[in-house]
Every structure is written in C-alpha cells, then in structure tokens.
Coordinates of all heavy atoms in Angstrom, one line a residue:
M1 N 0.9 -1.2 0.0 CA 0.0 0.0 0.0 C 0.9 1.2 0.0 O 1.8 1.4 0.8 CB -0.9 0.0 1.2 CG -1.9 1.1 1.3 SD -2.7 1.3 2.9 CE -1.4 2.0 3.9
A2 N 0.6 2.1 -0.9 CA 1.4 3.4 -1.0 C 0.9 4.3 0.1 O -0.3 4.5 0.3 CB 1.2 4.0 -2.4
V3 N 1.9 4.9 0.8 CA 1.5 5.8 1.9 C 1.6 7.2 1.3 O 2.6 7.5 0.6 CB 2.4 5.6 3.1 CG1 3.8 5.8 2.9 CG2 1.9 6.4 4.3
E4 N 0.6 8.0 1.6 CA 0.6 9.4 1.1 C 0.3 10.4 2.2 O -0.3 10.1 3.2 CB -0.6 9.5 0.1 CG -0.3 8.8 -1.2 CD -1.4 8.8 -2.2 OE1 -2.4 9.5 -1.9 OE2 -1.3 8.1 -3.2
P5 N 0.8 11.6 2.0 CA 0.5 12.7 3.0 C -1.0 12.9 3.1 O -1.8 12.8 2.2 CB 1.1 13.9 2.4 CG 2.2 13.4 1.5 CD 1.7 12.1 0.9
L6 N -1.5 13.1 4.4 CA -2.9 13.3 4.6 C -3.2 14.8 4.4 O -2.3 15.7 4.6 CB -3.2 13.0 6.0 CG -3.1 11.5 6.4 CD1 -3.3 11.3 7.9 CD2 -4.1 10.6 5.7
S7 N -4.4 15.1 3.9 CA -4.8 16.5 3.7 C -5.1 17.1 5.1 O -5.2 16.3 6.1 CB -6.1 16.5 2.9 OG -7.2 16.0 3.6
Q8 N -5.2 18.4 5.2 CA -5.5 19.1 6.4 C -6.8 18.5 7.0 O -6.9 18.3 8.2 CB -5.6 20.6 6.2 CG -5.5 21.4 7.4 CD -4.3 21.2 8.2 OE1 -3.2 21.0 7.7 NE2 -4.4 21.0 9.6
K9 N -7.8 18.3 6.1 CA -9.1 17.9 6.6 C -9.0 16.4 7.2 O -9.5 16.1 8.2 CB -10.1 17.9 5.4 CG -11.5 17.4 5.8 CD -12.4 17.7 4.6 CE -13.9 17.3 4.9 NZ -14.0 15.8 4.8
E10 N -8.2 15.6 6.5 CA -8.0 14.2 7.0 C -7.3 14.2 8.3 O -7.6 13.4 9.2 CB -7.2 13.4 6.0 CG -8.0 13.1 4.7 CD -7.2 12.5 3.6 OE1 -6.0 12.9 3.5 OE2 -7.7 11.7 2.8
I11 N -6.3 15.1 8.5 CA -5.6 15.2 9.8 C -6.6 15.7 10.9 O -6.6 15.1 11.9 CB -4.4 16.2 9.6 CG1 -3.3 15.6 8.7 CG2 -3.9 16.6 11.0 CD1 -2.2 16.5 8.4
E12 N -7.4 16.7 10.6 CA -8.3 17.2 11.6 C -9.3 16.1 12.0 O -9.6 16.0 13.2 CB -9.0 18.4 11.1 CG -8.1 19.7 11.2 CD -8.6 20.9 10.4 OE1 -9.7 20.9 10.0 OE2 -7.7 21.8 10.2
E13 N -9.8 15.3 11.1 CA -10.8 14.3 11.4 C -10.1 13.3 12.3 O -10.7 12.8 13.3 CB -11.2 13.5 10.1 CG -12.2 14.3 9.2 CD -12.3 13.7 7.9 OE1 -11.7 12.7 7.5 OE2 -13.1 14.3 7.1
R14 N -8.9 12.9 12.0 CA -8.2 11.9 12.9 C -7.8 12.5 14.2 O -7.9 11.8 15.2 CB -6.9 11.4 12.1 CG -7.4 10.4 11.0 CD -6.3 10.3 9.9 NE -6.7 9.4 8.8 CZ -7.6 9.7 7.9 NH1 -8.2 10.8 7.9 NH2 -7.9 8.8 7.0
L15 N -7.4 13.7 14.3 CA -7.1 14.4 15.6 C -8.3 14.4 16.5 O -8.1 14.3 17.7 CB -6.5 15.8 15.3 CG -5.1 15.9 14.9 CD1 -4.8 17.4 14.7 CD2 -4.1 15.3 15.9
A16 N -9.5 14.6 15.9 CA -10.7 14.6 16.7 C -10.9 13.4 17.5 O -11.5 13.4 18.6 CB -11.9 14.9 15.8
E17 N -10.4 12.2 17.0 CA -10.5 10.9 17.7 C -9.3 10.7 18.7 O -9.3 9.6 19.3 CB -10.5 9.8 16.7 CG -11.5 10.0 15.6 CD -13.0 9.8 16.1 OE1 -13.2 8.9 16.9 OE2 -13.8 10.6 15.7
L18 N -8.4 11.6 18.8 CA -7.2 11.4 19.6 C -6.9 12.6 20.5 O -6.0 13.4 20.2 CB -6.0 11.2 18.7 CG -5.8 9.8 18.0 CD1 -4.7 9.9 17.0 CD2 -5.5 8.8 19.0
P19 N -7.7 12.8 21.5 CA -7.5 13.9 22.4 C -6.1 13.9 23.0 O -5.6 12.8 23.3 CB -8.6 13.6 23.5 CG -9.6 12.7 23.0 CD -8.9 11.9 21.9
G20 N -5.5 15.1 23.1 CA -4.2 15.2 23.6 C -3.1 15.3 22.5 O -2.0 15.7 22.8
W21 N -3.5 14.8 21.3 CA -2.5 14.8 20.2 C -2.7 16.1 19.4 O -3.8 16.6 19.3 CB -2.7 13.6 19.3 CG -2.2 12.3 20.0 CD1 -2.9 11.6 20.9 CD2 -0.9 11.7 19.8 NE1 -2.1 10.5 21.2 CE2 -0.9 10.6 20.6 CE3 0.2 12.0 19.0 CZ2 0.2 9.7 20.7 CZ3 1.3 11.2 19.1 CH2 1.3 10.0 19.9
S22 N -1.6 16.6 18.8 CA -1.8 17.8 18.0 C -0.7 17.7 16.8 O 0.1 16.8 16.9 CB -1.5 19.0 18.8 OG -0.2 19.0 19.3
V23 N -0.9 18.5 15.9 CA 0.1 18.6 14.8 C 0.9 19.9 15.1 O 0.4 21.0 15.2 CB -0.5 18.6 13.4 CG1 0.6 19.0 12.4 CG2 -1.1 17.3 13.1
D24 N 2.2 19.7 15.3 CA 3.2 20.8 15.6 C 4.1 20.9 14.3 O 4.9 20.0 14.1 CB 3.9 20.4 16.8 CG 4.9 21.5 17.3 OD1 4.8 22.6 16.7 OD2 5.7 21.2 18.2
G25 N 3.9 21.9 13.5 CA 4.6 22.0 12.2 C 4.2 20.8 11.4 O 3.0 20.7 11.1
D26 N 5.1 20.0 11.0 CA 4.8 18.8 10.1 C 4.9 17.5 10.9 O 5.1 16.5 10.3 CB 5.7 18.8 8.9 CG 7.2 18.6 9.3 OD1 7.5 18.6 10.5 OD2 8.0 18.5 8.4
R27 N 4.7 17.6 12.2 CA 4.8 16.4 13.0 C 3.6 16.2 14.0 O 3.1 17.2 14.5 CB 6.1 16.5 13.9 CG 7.3 16.7 13.0 CD 8.6 16.7 13.9 NE 8.9 15.4 14.4 CZ 9.5 14.4 13.8 NH1 10.0 14.6 12.6 NH2 9.8 13.3 14.4
L28 N 3.2 15.0 14.1 CA 2.1 14.6 15.0 C 2.8 14.5 16.4 O 3.9 13.8 16.5 CB 1.5 13.3 14.6 CG 0.3 12.7 15.3 CD1 -0.9 13.7 15.3 CD2 -0.1 11.4 14.7
A29 N 2.2 15.0 17.4 CA 2.9 15.1 18.7 C 2.0 14.9 19.9 O 0.8 15.3 19.9 CB 3.6 16.5 18.8
R30 N 2.5 14.3 21.0 CA 1.9 14.3 22.3 C 2.9 14.1 23.4 O 3.9 13.4 23.2 CB 0.8 13.2 22.3 CG 0.3 13.0 23.7 CD -1.0 12.5 23.9 NE -1.4 12.7 25.4 CZ -2.4 12.3 26.0 NH1 -3.3 11.6 25.4 NH2 -2.6 12.6 27.3
S31 N 2.6 14.7 24.5 CA 3.4 14.5 25.8 C 2.5 13.8 26.8 O 1.3 14.2 26.9 CB 4.0 15.8 26.3 OG 4.9 16.3 25.4
Y32 N 3.1 12.9 27.6 CA 2.4 12.3 28.7 C 3.1 12.6 30.0 O 4.3 12.7 30.0 CB 2.3 10.8 28.5 CG 1.5 10.3 27.3 CD1 2.2 10.1 26.1 CD2 0.2 10.0 27.4 CE1 1.5 9.6 25.0 CE2 -0.5 9.5 26.4 CZ 0.1 9.4 25.1 OH -0.6 8.9 24.0
R33 N 2.3 12.6 31.1 CA 2.9 12.7 32.4 C 2.7 11.4 33.2 O 1.6 10.8 33.0 CB 2.3 13.9 33.2 CG 3.0 14.2 34.5 CD 2.4 15.5 35.1 NE 2.8 16.6 34.2 CZ 3.9 17.3 34.3 NH1 4.8 17.0 35.2 NH2 4.2 18.3 33.5
L34 N 3.7 10.9 33.9 CA 3.5 9.6 34.6 C 3.8 9.8 36.1 O 4.2 10.9 36.5 CB 4.5 8.6 34.0 CG 4.1 8.2 32.5 CD1 4.9 9.0 31.5 CD2 4.2 6.7 32.3
G35 N 3.7 8.7 36.8 CA 3.8 8.8 38.3 C 5.2 8.8 38.8 O 5.4 9.2 40.0
S36 N 6.2 8.4 38.0 CA 7.6 8.3 38.4 C 8.5 8.3 37.2 O 8.0 8.0 36.1 CB 7.8 7.1 39.3 OG 7.7 5.9 38.5
H37 N 9.7 8.4 37.5 CA 10.7 8.3 36.4 C 10.7 6.8 35.9 O 10.8 6.6 34.7 CB 12.1 8.7 36.8 CG 13.1 8.7 35.8 ND1 13.0 9.4 34.6 CD2 14.3 8.0 35.6 CE1 14.1 9.2 33.8 NE2 14.8 8.3 34.4
F38 N 10.6 5.9 36.8 CA 10.7 4.5 36.3 C 9.5 4.1 35.5 O 9.6 3.4 34.5 CB 10.8 3.6 37.6 CG 11.3 2.2 37.2 CD1 12.6 1.9 36.8 CD2 10.4 1.2 37.1 CE1 13.0 0.7 36.4 CE2 10.8 -0.1 36.7 CZ 12.1 -0.4 36.4
A39 N 8.3 4.6 35.9 CA 7.1 4.4 35.1 C 7.2 5.0 33.7 O 6.8 4.4 32.7 CB 5.9 5.0 35.8
A40 N 7.8 6.2 33.6 CA 8.0 6.8 32.3 C 9.0 6.0 31.5 O 8.8 5.8 30.3 CB 8.5 8.2 32.5
T41 N 10.0 5.5 32.1 CA 11.0 4.7 31.4 C 10.4 3.4 30.9 O 10.7 3.0 29.7 CB 12.2 4.3 32.4 OG1 12.7 5.5 32.9 CG2 13.3 3.6 31.6
A42 N 9.6 2.8 31.6 CA 8.9 1.5 31.2 C 8.0 1.8 30.0 O 7.9 1.0 29.0 CB 8.1 0.9 32.3
M43 N 7.3 3.0 30.0 CA 6.5 3.3 28.9 C 7.3 3.5 27.6 O 6.9 3.1 26.5 CB 5.7 4.6 29.2 CG 4.7 4.9 28.1 SD 3.6 6.3 28.6 CE 2.8 6.6 27.0
V44 N 8.5 4.1 27.8 CA 9.4 4.3 26.6 C 9.7 3.0 26.0 O 9.7 2.8 24.8 CB 10.6 5.1 27.0 CG1 11.7 5.0 26.0 CG2 10.3 6.6 27.2
V45 N 10.1 2.0 26.8 CA 10.4 0.7 26.3 C 9.2 0.0 25.6 O 9.4 -0.6 24.5 CB 10.9 -0.2 27.5 CG1 11.1 -1.6 27.0 CG2 12.2 0.3 28.1
H46 N 8.1 0.2 26.2 CA 6.9 -0.4 25.6 C 6.6 0.3 24.2 O 6.3 -0.4 23.2 CB 5.7 -0.2 26.5 CG 4.5 -1.0 26.3 ND1 3.5 -1.2 27.1 CD2 4.2 -1.8 25.2 CE1 2.6 -2.0 26.7 NE2 3.0 -2.4 25.5
I47 N 6.7 1.6 24.1 CA 6.6 2.3 22.8 C 7.6 1.8 21.8 O 7.3 1.6 20.7 CB 6.7 3.9 23.0 CG1 5.5 4.4 23.8 CG2 6.7 4.6 21.7 CD1 5.6 5.8 24.3
A48 N 8.8 1.7 22.3 CA 9.9 1.2 21.4 C 9.5 -0.2 20.8 O 9.8 -0.4 19.6 CB 11.2 1.1 22.1
Q49 N 9.0 -1.0 21.6 CA 8.5 -2.4 21.1 C 7.5 -2.2 20.0 O 7.6 -2.9 19.0 CB 7.9 -3.1 22.4 CG 7.9 -4.5 22.3 CD 7.5 -5.1 23.7 OE1 6.7 -4.4 24.5 NE2 8.0 -6.2 24.1
V50 N 6.5 -1.4 20.3 CA 5.4 -1.1 19.3 C 6.0 -0.5 18.0 O 5.7 -0.9 16.9 CB 4.3 -0.2 19.8 CG1 3.4 0.3 18.7 CG2 3.6 -0.9 20.9
Q51 N 7.0 0.4 18.1 CA 7.6 1.0 17.0 C 8.3 0.0 16.1 O 8.3 0.0 14.9 CB 8.5 2.1 17.4 CG 7.7 3.3 18.0 CD 8.5 4.5 18.4 OE1 8.0 5.6 18.5 NE2 9.8 4.3 18.7
E52 N 9.0 -1.0 16.8 CA 9.7 -2.0 16.0 C 8.7 -2.9 15.3 O 8.9 -3.3 14.2 CB 10.5 -2.8 17.0 CG 11.8 -2.1 17.4 CD 12.8 -1.9 16.4 OE1 13.6 -2.8 16.1 OE2 12.8 -0.9 15.7
E53 N 7.6 -3.2 16.0 CA 6.5 -4.0 15.4 C 5.9 -3.3 14.1 O 5.7 -4.0 13.1 CB 5.4 -4.3 16.4 CG 4.3 -5.1 15.9 CD 3.1 -5.1 16.9 OE1 3.3 -5.0 18.1 OE2 1.9 -5.1 16.4
L54 N 5.7 -2.0 14.2 CA 5.1 -1.3 13.1 C 6.1 -0.8 12.1 O 5.8 -0.4 11.0 CB 4.4 0.0 13.6 CG 3.2 -0.2 14.6 CD1 2.6 1.1 15.0 CD2 2.1 -1.1 14.0
N55 N 7.4 -1.0 12.4 CA 8.5 -0.4 11.6 C 8.2 1.1 11.3 O 8.3 1.6 10.2 CB 8.7 -1.2 10.3 CG 10.0 -0.8 9.6 OD1 10.9 -0.3 10.3 ND2 10.0 -0.9 8.3
H56 N 7.9 1.8 12.4 CA 7.6 3.2 12.3 C 8.0 3.8 13.6 O 7.5 3.4 14.7 CB 6.1 3.5 12.0 CG 5.9 4.8 11.4 ND1 6.4 5.2 10.1 CD2 5.2 5.9 11.8 CE1 6.0 6.4 9.9 NE2 5.3 6.9 10.9
H57 N 8.8 4.9 13.6 CA 9.5 5.3 14.8 C 9.4 6.8 15.0 O 9.7 7.6 14.1 CB 11.0 4.9 14.7 CG 11.3 3.5 14.4 ND1 11.2 3.0 13.1 CD2 11.6 2.4 15.2 CE1 11.4 1.6 13.1 NE2 11.7 1.3 14.4
S58 N 9.0 7.1 16.3 CA 8.9 8.5 16.6 C 10.3 9.0 17.1 O 11.2 8.3 17.4 CB 7.9 8.7 17.7 OG 8.3 8.0 18.9
D59 N 10.3 10.3 17.3 CA 11.4 11.0 18.1 C 10.8 10.9 19.5 O 9.8 11.6 19.8 CB 11.7 12.4 17.7 CG 12.5 12.5 16.4 OD1 12.7 11.4 15.8 OD2 12.9 13.6 16.0
L60 N 11.4 10.1 20.4 CA 10.8 9.8 21.7 C 11.7 10.3 22.8 O 12.9 10.0 22.8 CB 10.7 8.2 21.7 CG 10.1 7.5 22.8 CD1 8.7 7.9 23.1 CD2 10.1 6.0 22.5
T61 N 11.1 11.1 23.6 CA 12.0 11.8 24.6 C 11.5 11.5 26.0 O 10.3 11.6 26.4 CB 11.9 13.4 24.5 OG1 12.2 13.7 23.1 CG2 12.8 14.1 25.4
L62 N 12.4 11.0 26.8 CA 12.2 10.7 28.3 C 12.6 11.8 29.1 O 13.8 12.3 29.1 CB 12.9 9.4 28.6 CG 12.9 9.0 30.1 CD1 11.5 8.6 30.5 CD2 13.9 7.8 30.3
G63 N 11.6 12.3 29.9 CA 12.0 13.3 30.9 C 12.0 12.7 32.3 O 12.0 11.5 32.4
Y64 N 11.9 13.5 33.4 CA 11.9 12.9 34.7 C 10.6 12.1 34.9 O 10.7 10.9 35.2 CB 12.0 14.0 35.8 CG 11.5 13.6 37.1 CD1 12.1 12.5 37.8 CD2 10.4 14.2 37.8 CE1 11.7 12.0 39.0 CE2 10.0 13.7 39.0 CZ 10.6 12.6 39.6 OH 10.2 12.2 40.8
N65 N 9.5 12.6 34.7 CA 8.2 11.9 34.7 C 7.4 12.2 33.5 O 6.1 12.2 33.6 CB 7.5 12.2 36.0 CG 7.0 13.6 36.1 OD1 7.5 14.4 35.3 ND2 6.2 13.9 37.1
T66 N 8.0 12.4 32.4 CA 7.3 12.7 31.2 C 7.8 11.8 30.0 O 9.0 11.5 30.0 CB 7.4 14.2 30.8 OG1 8.8 14.5 30.6 CG2 6.8 15.1 31.8
V67 N 6.9 11.6 29.1 CA 7.3 10.9 27.8 C 6.7 11.8 26.7 O 5.5 12.0 26.7 CB 6.8 9.5 27.7 CG1 7.0 8.9 26.4 CG2 7.4 8.6 28.8
S68 N 7.5 12.2 25.7 CA 7.0 13.0 24.6 C 7.4 12.3 23.3 O 8.5 11.8 23.2 CB 7.7 14.4 24.7 OG 7.4 15.0 25.9
L69 N 6.5 12.4 22.4 CA 6.7 11.8 21.1 C 6.4 12.8 20.0 O 5.4 13.5 20.2 CB 5.8 10.6 20.7 CG 5.6 9.4 21.6 CD1 4.6 9.6 22.7 CD2 5.2 8.3 20.6
T70 N 7.2 12.9 19.0 CA 6.7 13.5 17.7 C 7.1 12.6 16.6 O 8.0 11.8 16.7 CB 7.4 14.9 17.5 OG1 8.8 14.7 17.1 CG2 7.4 15.8 18.7
V71 N 6.2 12.5 15.6 CA 6.4 11.6 14.5 C 5.9 12.1 13.2 O 4.9 12.8 13.1 CB 5.8 10.2 14.8 CG1 4.3 10.3 15.0 CG2 6.2 9.1 13.8
N72 N 6.6 11.9 12.1 CA 6.1 12.0 10.8 C 6.7 10.9 9.9 O 7.3 10.0 10.4 CB 6.3 13.4 10.2 CG 7.8 13.7 10.0 OD1 8.7 12.9 10.0 ND2 8.1 15.0 9.8
T73 N 6.4 11.0 8.6 CA 6.8 9.9 7.7 C 7.9 10.4 6.8 O 7.7 11.2 5.9 CB 5.6 9.3 7.0 OG1 4.6 8.9 8.0 CG2 6.0 8.2 6.1
H74 N 9.1 9.9 7.0 CA 10.3 10.3 6.3 C 10.1 10.0 4.8 O 10.6 10.8 3.9 CB 11.6 9.6 6.7 CG 11.7 9.5 8.2 ND1 12.3 8.4 8.8 CD2 11.3 10.3 9.2 CE1 12.3 8.5 10.1 NE2 11.7 9.7 10.4
S75 N 9.5 8.9 4.5 CA 9.5 8.4 3.1 C 8.6 9.2 2.2 O 8.7 9.1 1.0 CB 9.1 6.9 3.1 OG 7.8 6.8 3.7
V76 N 7.8 10.1 2.8 CA 7.1 11.0 1.9 C 7.6 12.5 2.1 O 6.8 13.4 2.0 CB 5.5 10.9 2.1 CG1 5.0 9.6 1.6 CG2 5.2 11.2 3.6
G77 N 8.8 12.6 2.6 CA 9.4 13.9 2.7 C 9.1 14.6 4.0 O 9.2 15.8 4.2
G78 N 8.6 13.8 5.0 CA 8.4 14.4 6.3 C 7.0 15.0 6.5 O 6.9 16.1 6.9
A79 N 6.0 14.3 6.0 CA 4.6 14.7 6.2 C 3.9 13.8 7.1 O 4.4 12.7 7.4 CB 3.9 14.7 4.8
V80 N 2.7 14.2 7.6 CA 1.9 13.3 8.5 C 1.1 12.4 7.6 O 0.4 12.8 6.6 CB 1.0 14.1 9.4 CG1 0.1 13.2 10.2 CG2 1.9 15.0 10.3
T81 N 1.1 11.1 7.9 CA 0.4 10.1 7.1 C -0.4 9.1 8.1 O -0.2 9.2 9.3 CB 1.4 9.2 6.3 OG1 2.1 8.3 7.2 CG2 2.4 10.0 5.5
E82 N -1.1 8.2 7.5 CA -1.8 7.2 8.2 C -0.9 6.4 9.1 O -1.3 5.9 10.2 CB -2.5 6.3 7.2 CG -3.7 5.6 7.8 CD -4.8 6.5 8.2 OE1 -5.6 7.0 7.4 OE2 -4.9 6.7 9.5
L83 N 0.4 6.2 8.8 CA 1.3 5.5 9.6 C 1.5 6.2 10.9 O 1.7 5.5 12.0 CB 2.7 5.3 8.9 CG 2.6 4.5 7.5 CD1 4.0 4.5 6.9 CD2 2.1 3.1 7.7
D84 N 1.6 7.5 10.9 CA 1.8 8.3 12.1 C 0.6 8.1 13.0 O 0.7 8.0 14.3 CB 2.0 9.7 11.8 CG 3.2 9.9 10.8 OD1 4.3 9.3 11.1 OD2 3.0 10.4 9.7
F85 N -0.6 8.2 12.4 CA -1.8 8.0 13.3 C -1.9 6.6 13.8 O -2.4 6.4 14.9 CB -3.1 8.4 12.5 CG -3.3 9.9 12.5 CD1 -2.9 10.7 11.4 CD2 -3.8 10.5 13.6 CE1 -3.0 12.1 11.5 CE2 -4.0 11.9 13.7 CZ -3.6 12.7 12.6
A86 N -1.5 5.6 13.0 CA -1.5 4.2 13.5 C -0.6 4.1 14.7 O -1.0 3.4 15.7 CB -1.1 3.2 12.4
L87 N 0.5 4.7 14.7 CA 1.4 4.6 15.9 C 0.8 5.4 17.1 O 0.7 4.9 18.2 CB 2.8 5.2 15.6 CG 3.7 5.4 16.8 CD1 4.0 4.0 17.4 CD2 5.0 6.1 16.3
A88 N 0.2 6.5 16.8 CA -0.4 7.3 17.9 C -1.5 6.5 18.5 O -1.7 6.5 19.8 CB -1.0 8.6 17.3
R89 N -2.3 5.8 17.7 CA -3.4 5.0 18.3 C -2.9 3.9 19.2 O -3.4 3.6 20.3 CB -4.3 4.5 17.2 CG -5.1 5.5 16.5 CD -6.1 5.0 15.5 NE -6.6 6.0 14.6 CZ -6.2 6.1 13.3 NH1 -5.3 5.3 12.8 NH2 -6.6 7.2 12.6
R90 N -1.8 3.3 18.8 CA -1.2 2.2 19.6 C -0.7 2.8 20.9 O -0.8 2.1 21.9 CB -0.1 1.5 18.8 CG -0.7 0.6 17.6 CD -1.4 -0.6 18.1 NE -0.5 -1.5 18.9 CZ 0.4 -2.4 18.4 NH1 0.4 -2.7 17.1 NH2 1.1 -3.1 19.2
V91 N -0.1 3.9 20.8 CA 0.5 4.5 22.0 C -0.7 4.9 23.0 O -0.6 4.7 24.2 CB 1.4 5.7 21.7 CG1 1.8 6.5 23.0 CG2 2.6 5.3 20.9
E92 N -1.8 5.5 22.4 CA -2.9 5.8 23.3 C -3.5 4.5 24.0 O -3.9 4.6 25.1 CB -4.1 6.4 22.4 CG -3.8 7.8 22.1 CD -3.9 8.7 23.4 OE1 -5.0 8.8 23.9 OE2 -2.8 9.2 23.8
D93 N -3.4 3.4 23.3 CA -4.0 2.1 23.8 C -3.1 1.6 25.0 O -3.6 1.1 25.9 CB -4.0 1.0 22.8 CG -5.1 1.3 21.7 OD1 -6.0 2.1 22.0 OD2 -5.1 0.6 20.7
L94 N -1.8 1.9 24.9 CA -0.9 1.3 26.0 C -0.7 2.3 27.1 O -0.4 1.9 28.2 CB 0.4 0.9 25.4 CG 1.4 1.9 24.8 CD1 2.2 2.6 25.9 CD2 2.4 1.2 23.8
A95 N -1.0 3.6 26.9 CA -0.8 4.6 27.9 C -1.5 4.4 29.2 O -0.9 4.5 30.3 CB -1.1 6.0 27.3
P96 N -2.8 4.0 29.2 CA -3.5 3.9 30.5 C -2.8 2.8 31.4 O -2.8 2.9 32.6 CB -4.9 3.5 30.1 CG -5.1 4.0 28.7 CD -3.7 3.9 28.1
G97 N -2.3 1.8 30.8 CA -1.7 0.7 31.6 C -0.4 1.2 32.3 O 0.1 0.5 33.2
H98 N 0.1 2.3 31.8 CA 1.3 2.9 32.5 C 0.9 4.0 33.4 O 1.8 4.7 34.0 CB 2.3 3.4 31.4 CG 2.9 2.2 30.7 ND1 4.0 1.6 31.1 CD2 2.5 1.7 29.5 CE1 4.3 0.6 30.2 NE2 3.4 0.6 29.2
G99 N -0.4 4.3 33.5 CA -0.8 5.4 34.4 C -0.5 6.7 33.7 O -0.4 7.7 34.5
A100 N -0.3 6.7 32.4 CA 0.1 8.0 31.7 C -1.1 8.8 31.4 O -2.2 8.3 31.1 CB 0.8 7.7 30.5
H101 N -1.0 10.1 31.6 CA -2.1 11.0 31.2 C -1.6 12.3 30.7 O -0.4 12.6 30.8 CB -3.1 11.2 32.4 CG -2.4 11.8 33.6 ND1 -1.8 11.1 34.6 CD2 -2.1 13.1 33.9 CE1 -1.3 11.8 35.5 NE2 -1.4 13.1 35.1
Ligands
H2B1 C1 13.4 1.0 5.8 C2 12.3 1.3 6.8 O1 11.1 0.8 6.4 C3 12.1 2.8 6.9 O2 13.3 3.5 7.2 C4 11.1 3.2 8.0 C5 11.5 3.0 9.4 N1 10.9 3.9 10.4 C6 10.3 5.0 10.0 N2 9.8 5.9 10.9 C7 9.3 7.0 10.5 N3 8.8 7.8 11.5 N4 9.1 7.4 9.2 C8 9.6 6.6 8.2 O3 9.4 6.9 7.0 C9 10.2 5.4 8.6 N5 10.6 4.5 7.7

C-alpha cells in the first residue's frame, strides 16, 4: 500500500479521535505525564517495542516523569500520514496501563 500525505481535513478528522494529540509543524505530537521516572522509562520501552513491530519510529523523549513523542513519515518527505496515526493510536492504547495522562 502506498502511503501518502494526509490532507488538512483528513488530519483534523483523525485528531478529533485522539484527544491530547496535535500537529506541531509537520509532526504529530503528544506528551504524557507519569507517576515516576521509572514508570516513564517503562512506557518508553513499551513504545519502542510497538515502533519495532510497526516499523515506524517517533522521536521519543524521556523526561523525569514525562514521555514525549513527535512523528512524521520520512519516506514522503516528512509529512503526516496514516502510519503516524496508527502509531499514535497504539500509544494511546498502551498509555493507561502505565498510568500515563
Ligand atoms: C526501511 C524502513 O522501512 C524505513 O526506514 C522506515 C523506518 N521507520 C520510519 N519511521 C518514521 N517515522 N518514518 C519513516 O518513514 C520510517 N521509515
């Protein structure tokens, strides 16, 4: 399946289903706060596992008790695509298990 940049309208429709996520420049982004540094670290490892499964990788930043991601699709010149939203949905699914909000 060829992956293509999403239109502004397509991005807005998908963002409406993903509270907390936004588009910052040409990247889909969200930050989470967790209960401790160790909890944040465990979430980073879990996200890395999903990224390997999807073969799609965010810029993933670990803070003291925060985890931040930004992602776009290099192969279309750094635009937001369905692949970025697929990763975002998977991260949203795993976040509650880590107590992330
Ligand atoms: C060869 C491999 O499929 C590509 O390099 C993948 C890996 N991870 C990736 N991650 C992201 N965010 N964008 C890509 O275009 C991308 N491409």
Side-chain angles (χ1 to χ4, degrees):
M1 184 192 77
V3 61
E4 290 177 7
L6 295 171
S7 69
Q8 197 57 41
K9 181 167 179 286
E10 289 169 329
I11 288 172
E12 282 164 16
E13 286 167 0
R14 285 158 179 74
L15 281 177
E17 306 292 316
L18 284 172
W21 289 81
S22 62
V23 171
D24 183 10
D26 61 358
R27 303 181 69 84
L28 186 59
R30 172 155 191 185
S31 293
Y32 295 92
R33 187 170 296 274
L34 293 99
S36 69
H37 184 58
F38 196 75
T41 306
M43 184 174 173
V44 164
V45 173
H46 199 169
I47 292 171
Q49 201 170 33
V50 168
Q51 292 182 156
E52 289 289 276
E53 181 191 326
L54 299 180
N55 191 27
H56 200 65
H57 305 81
S58 66
D59 285 9
L60 183 55
T61 305
L62 173 64
Y64 163 57
N65 63 349
T66 59
V67 173
S68 304
L69 304 85
T70 73
V71 63
N72 66 12
T73 302
H74 318 145
S75 57
V76 294
V80 175
T81 71
E82 204 60 80
L83 299 178
D84 304 307
F85 279 99
L87 175 60
R89 291 184 195 106
R90 288 288 301 272
V91 172
E92 281 295 290
D93 288 346
L94 66 81
H98 293 274
H101 60 269

